[in-house]
């Protein structure tokens, strides 16, 4: 890719396989707390969205506040489950070793979460000091703020950045930042080809299924 100077990775669902774990815990905890929702509904409604956005949607749906204690319980359960189950995305460690361009992370998750999951999966050293969170800016994805912030911190022009995203929300954010976006949709992701089409519709230049494909795609 001509003029490519920086590759920006989303975190959850791109670098680490955390979303199925987080969604399962989120659905279970909310349901126990009187906000019934299925794992499938969480996956469909909340993938790629910030926790604040998710809580706002739930509160609007049920017409009442989600207790802070319930949110804290959810976070505690997530950390335990992630420590027991989390794995890096297949192929990502190899791919990161092969990429020679500068890289960074831009995520809707908190810095604490990003560092936690990358450390658990042995990827933190690849991005040390180059982690950017929606908590650093005014608005989370699907707004472009965190991607524009990451590019500015890395001293690169947005049009010379490539974003790797797995969610419609993230693709919309990167597209709004005037960056090129590759959608990552492994075969198991959300169960069918409709997600592939949704990523393209949101602005992805292409969608790929296997992280090992990324180095060759960068040459297109």
């Amino acid at each position: 890719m001509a003029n490519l100077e920086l590759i920006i990775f989303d975190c959850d669902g791109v670098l680490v396989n955390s979303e199925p774990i987080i969604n399962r815990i989120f659905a279970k905890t909310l349901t126990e707390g009187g906000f019934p929702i299925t794992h499938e509904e969480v996956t469909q409604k909340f993938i790629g969205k910030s926790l604040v956005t998710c809580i706002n949607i739930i509160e609007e749906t049920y017409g009442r506040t989600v207790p802070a204690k319930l949110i804290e319980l959810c976070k505690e359960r997530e950390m335990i489950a992630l420590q027991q189950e989390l794995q890096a995305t297949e192929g990502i460690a190899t791919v990161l070793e092969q990429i020679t361009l500068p890289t960074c992370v831009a995520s809707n998750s908190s810095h604490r979460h990003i560092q936690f999951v990358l450390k658990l999966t042995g990827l933190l050293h690849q991005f040390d000091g180059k982690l950017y969170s929606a908590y650093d800016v005014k608005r989370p994805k699907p707004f472009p703020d965190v991607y524009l912030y990451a590019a500015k911190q890395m001293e690169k022009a947005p049009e010379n950045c490539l974003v790797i995203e797995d969610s419609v929300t993230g693709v919309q954010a990167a597209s709004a930042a005037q960056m090129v976006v590759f959608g990552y949709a492994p075969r198991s992701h959300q169960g069918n080809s409709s997600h592939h089409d949704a990523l393209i519709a949101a602005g992805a230049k292409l969608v790929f299924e296997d992280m090992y494909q990324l180095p060759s795609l960068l040459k297109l």
Side-chain angles (χ1 to χ4, degrees), residues 17-18 20-22 24-25 28 75-88 116-117 119-121:
N17 291 319
S18 53
I21 302 169
I22 291 171
R24 185 188 77 231
I25 299 296
K28 181 177 186 291
K75 290 179 180 179
E76 290 172 9
R77 288 176 167 178
E78 282 179 6
M79 290 186 71
I80 293 170
L82 288 169
Q83 286 176 314
Q84 295 173 341
E85 304 173 39
L86 185 64
Q87 294 183 338
F116 179 68
V117 298
K119 186 175 182 179
L120 274 179
T121 53

Side-chain angles (χ1 to χ4, degrees), residues 5-8 99-104 130 154 156:
E5 297 181 352
L6 174 66
I7 303 174
I8 307 177
I99 292 174
T100 56
L101 288 165
T103 60
C104 68
K130 299 180 292 182
M154 296 293 291
K156 306 298 181 185

Side-chain angles (χ1 to χ4, degrees), residues 23-72:
N23 291 344
R24 185 188 77 231
I25 299 296
F26 197 48
K28 181 177 186 291
T29 306
L30 283 172
T31 299
E32 289 177 358
F35 299 84
I37 189 168
T38 66
H39 185 178
E40 291 74 20
E41 287 175 316
V42 170
T43 301
Q44 292 169 1
K45 293 180 180 180
F46 300 144
I47 185 170
K49 293 182 171 64
S50 68
L51 177 60
V52 172
T53 301
C54 295
I55 296 300
N56 287 341
I57 293 172
I58 293 163
E59 291 180 340
E60 288 174 9
T61 300
Y62 286 94
R64 63 183 191 275
T65 301
V66 177
K69 287 185 178 180
L70 194 64
I71 299 171
E72 287 305 312

Side-chain angles (χ1 to χ4, degrees), residues 188-201:
S188 60
H189 199 84
Q190 298 198 25
N192 55 51
S193 61
S194 64
H195 187 60
H196 177 290
D197 297 337
L199 293 176
I200 293 293

Side-chain angles (χ1 to χ4, degrees), residues 16 88 93 96-97 116-126:
V16 297
L96 290 172
E97 293 292 344
F116 179 68
V117 298
L118 293 183
K119 186 175 182 179
L120 274 179
T121 53
L123 298 176
L124 185 60
H125 71 284
Q126 295 281 5

